Amino acid sequence: EKSGDAIGLALKEFPEPEKTKRGMILAMANKMPNAAILEAWEMLSTTASTQITQRDPNIDLTGDTPYKNMEEFFREKKLLETKKIKVFRELRQLRNKVAHAKGYEVSPEESNQYIHLCFMMADHLEKLRP
């Protein structure tokens, strides 16, 4: 078996980067930076709520401030160090501005940075031990 065949086979096994969630959101950032921020936050908040409910199956994250409650949980349980909690808060606050502030627009560059931070934070959260 030639090595080229193995590589071709391997490439078929993994989705192309553009077809991954991250790739799709990054592609969205250029044309719809605000929508891309909301998508990136949605991915991060899903990861965060999974980590939280694994630790506390009875927790209610459906109230008026579910994202703030996630941040509080990470702080109280000392799952994230102070600087990472600050990053989570800043991501949450920018998401809120984009979602709720009339006429608030971010640039594609800001959106790109935001998306990368969301994925870095989600990767970090996924590595936490339950």
Side-chain angles (χ1 to χ4, degrees):
E1 187 174 332
K2 297 192 293 289
S3 64
D5 294 344
I7 291 169
L9 203 66
L11 288 173
K12 286 188 185 106
E13 286 301 310
F14 297 99
E16 297 165 45
E18 300 80 55
K19 291 186 180 141
T20 64
K21 184 86 173 153
R22 187 181 204 148
M24 286 172 9
I25 297 172
L26 282 167
M28 188 189 285
N30 293 322
K31 292 184 180 73
M32 300 182 294
N34 280 25
I37 280 183
L38 296 176
E39 283 290 320
W41 175 262
E42 188 57 36
M43 175 283 306
L44 175 56
S45 70
T46 298
T47 302
S49 67
T50 299
Q51 288 298 322
I52 291 168
T53 53
Q54 282 175 356
R55 287 164 177 79
D56 183 354
N58 301 317
I59 197 163
D60 181 14
L61 293 172
T62 60
D64 290 341
T65 57
Y67 306 140
K68 194 170 186 178
N69 296 348
M70 289 176 183
E71 184 186 313
E72 292 300 317
F73 185 90
F74 290 134
R75 180 182 297 106
E76 286 168 16
K77 302 289 185 209
K78 296 179 172 41
L79 291 171
L80 293 177
E81 50 273 25
T82 305
K83 285 181 179 169
K84 287 191 176 66
I85 286 173
K86 188 172 184 274
V87 171
F88 189 87
R89 180 181 320 119
E90 287 171 6
L91 292 170
R92 175 176 66 77
Q93 288 170 339
L94 183 57
R95 176 262 172 212
N96 287 347
K97 255 189 217 170
V98 166
H100 304 296
K102 287 250 186 292
Y104 185 81
E105 288 292 324
V106 295
S107 70
E109 295 75 31
E110 285 176 297
S111 187
N112 258 304
Q113 290 174 335
Y114 183 92
I115 293 161
H116 284 297
L117 279 171
C118 281
F119 276 93
M120 287 164 67
M121 180 66 74
D123 290 344
H124 181 75
L125 290 176
E126 284 176 353
K127 290 182 183 116
L128 296 176
R129 288 165 201 252

